[in-house]
Amino acid sequence: MDTFYTFDIHEAFMSRALELARQGQGKVSPNPMVGCILVKDGEIIGEGYHEAYGGPHAEVMAYKNAIKEPVDATVYVTMEPCSIFSKTPPCTKFLIENSAAEVYVAMLDPNPEVNGNGVAELIHAGIPVKTGILKEEAEFLNRGFTKIMKHGRPWVIAKAAQSANGFLGIDSDSQTWITGEESKEHSHNLRAHVDAIMVGRQTALIDNPKLTVREVAGYNPQRIVVDTNRKLPLTLNIFRDHQADTKVLCSDARFERSRTSFCDFIPVKEADSGQLDPAAILDTLANEGITSVILEGGAEILQSFNDTGLIDEIYLYTASHDLEDAILENPLKISEDWDVKETKKLGDDTLIIAERKVECLQES
């Protein structure tokens, strides 16, 4: 269904719509981030984006913010206009009623209730629709939403910093800072682009992290801590600084859901090992409206998600020096199961970004 147009002007307008969409980061989940602009006589006359979950959609905001009469405007929107009633009326109906001249769409909505139907409804109403402009950029922006729609679970990024000889630290009982300031800044930028950060009990106890965005401008994601038996001291930063929402995942065999002024305690099913089941953790996060999450350690939680094939993407920061006498080995390995998307230098460190390969069915 996608028709790609390479005219610079269309890509430029869609690029601006994508910039707007990104402003919804951390505020609209589990809805997608969507941006929209209105163009008339070659000029942008209206801009909008989905600003908050349950609030007006990007198309409505663009018309609301129009600085000129928007009738017969050309619409550029980063995701197919919705054709169903949810918390807001269908955007297709809104565009038809406002006499949109034509509509350019970056990606189709992965929601099966909408997928292709929004485009078909506009075309049926006599509005030309062209799809596929900056499609890959739009799909990457909302890969968490797409994962939720297709598989019912959030997009999982595993982040690890390792020494040149492959260790996360000396041992699990001590804190070791391995990579440099440029890697730290880069990882904080990554935090600003997800809904949540998750760590295990030992990481929370030994490192006492804040798990916030501090090195760059950005929105603080939710903080998720896996603490099966609820033994973490309440003096930790995540419980006291009130910088972001904190959720503690604990055993459903011993605890019921409860809420305090500093965190939510959420019960999750245990695996046979007695630890929380990774798949059940992701199901729980999906139910909490989380579409993307970074695993920031430690080794045990990285190992459990890796062993169960639940990691979608890896950010591996590697220092230029070895750690001597270390025993805390990094369980994440970039094998043939992964596509390396990018390799870059960050000061003395090297970053590898890899995505799990998608299995393709071979024709018989």
Side-chain angles (χ1 to χ4, degrees), residues 50-309:
H50 187 32
E51 298 180 8
Y53 176 68
H57 285 189
E59 297 92 328
V60 175
M61 294 302 298
Y63 275 85
K64 179 181 178 182
N65 296 331
I67 58 175
K68 291 184 178 180
E69 173 55 56
V71 171
D72 293 329
T74 296
V75 179
Y76 290 81
V77 62
T78 59
M79 186 176 289
E80 176 182 16
C82 63
S83 55
I84 58 174
F85 281 91
S86 53
K87 289 185 175 295
T88 60
C91 290
T92 48
K93 186 174 187 294
F94 178 84
L95 292 176
I96 293 168
E97 290 175 346
N98 282 274
S99 303
E102 58 182 338
V103 179
Y104 290 84
V105 175
M107 65 176 287
L108 297 183
D109 191 330
N111 182 344
E113 294 184 24
V114 177
N115 188 261
N117 294 329
V119 168
E121 187 172 322
L122 292 173
I123 292 174
H124 185 263
I127 299 174
V129 180
K130 300 176 180 66
T131 64
I133 300 173
L134 300 187
K135 176 185 175 184
E136 290 185 2
E137 290 88 336
E139 289 179 338
F140 182 81
L141 178 65
N142 278 305
R143 62 199 188 282
F145 176 72
T146 298
K147 178 89 179 289
I148 287 283
M149 285 293 105
K150 292 185 175 181
H151 304 286
R153 289 174 178 164
W155 183 266
V156 179
I157 301 170
K159 182 183 83 72
Q162 66 175 8
S163 62
N165 56 342
F167 291 93
L168 299 175
I170 300 299
D171 54 45
S172 61
D173 296 316
S174 59
Q175 184 180 24
T176 307
W177 189 260
I178 296 174
T179 49
E181 287 300 316
E182 289 188 37
S183 290
K184 182 178 181 181
E185 181 176 320
H186 189 279
S187 67
H188 277 233
N189 185 66
L190 178 61
R191 287 179 177 180
H193 289 84
V194 296
D195 292 338
I197 303 171
M198 182 160 60
V199 298
R201 176 185 177 278
Q202 193 70 1
T203 296
L205 183 64
I206 300 301
D207 294 353
N208 190 19
K210 293 183 178 180
L211 303 180
T212 54
V213 176
R214 301 183 303 281
E215 301 299 320
V216 297
Y219 186 86
N220 284 334
Q222 296 184 54
R223 303 179 288 200
I224 312 296
V225 184
V226 179
D227 184 18
T228 305
N229 299 307
R230 282 180 55 170
K231 291 186 175 181
L232 283 173
L234 301 183
T235 54
L236 296 177
N237 287 322
I238 54 173
F239 298 130
R240 294 173 59 86
D241 65 10
H242 303 291
Q243 296 299 305
D245 290 340
T246 299
K247 291 178 169 60
V248 175
L249 307 183
C250 51
S251 170
D252 68 350
R254 277 158 279 178
F255 304 101
E256 295 184 355
R257 181 161 188 152
S258 61
R259 180 178 177 83
T260 69
S261 61
F262 50 84
C263 78
D264 287 334
F265 291 100
I266 304 176
V268 176
K269 184 180 72 173
E270 290 185 18
D272 293 339
S273 63
Q275 301 301 314
L276 300 189
D277 180 73
I281 287 175
L282 295 185
D283 291 340
T284 298
L285 297 186
N287 289 336
E288 295 297 312
I290 292 170
T291 65
S292 57
V293 59
I294 298 175
L295 306 180
E296 290 209 1
E300 185 175 297
I301 199 167
L302 292 172
Q303 182 81 61
S304 65
F305 275 80
N306 193 44
D307 288 348
T308 49

Side-chain angles (χ1 to χ4, degrees), residues 317-361:
Y317 300 83
T318 303
S320 59
H321 61 275
D322 289 344
L323 272 183
E324 302 298 335
D325 302 318
I327 61 173
L328 190 61
E329 188 174 357
N330 181 12
L332 301 179
K333 309 296 180 187
I334 307 297
S335 67
E336 61 182 12
D337 296 327
W338 298 87
D339 275 327
V340 175
K341 298 297 184 181
E342 185 177 0
T343 300
K344 65 189 300 183
K345 292 291 291 182
L346 297 171
D348 293 331
D349 306 329
T350 301
L351 168 64
I352 295 177
I353 304 173
E355 192 170 316
R356 185 178 295 280
K357 290 181 179 178
V358 177
E359 293 184 5
C360 296
L361 297 177

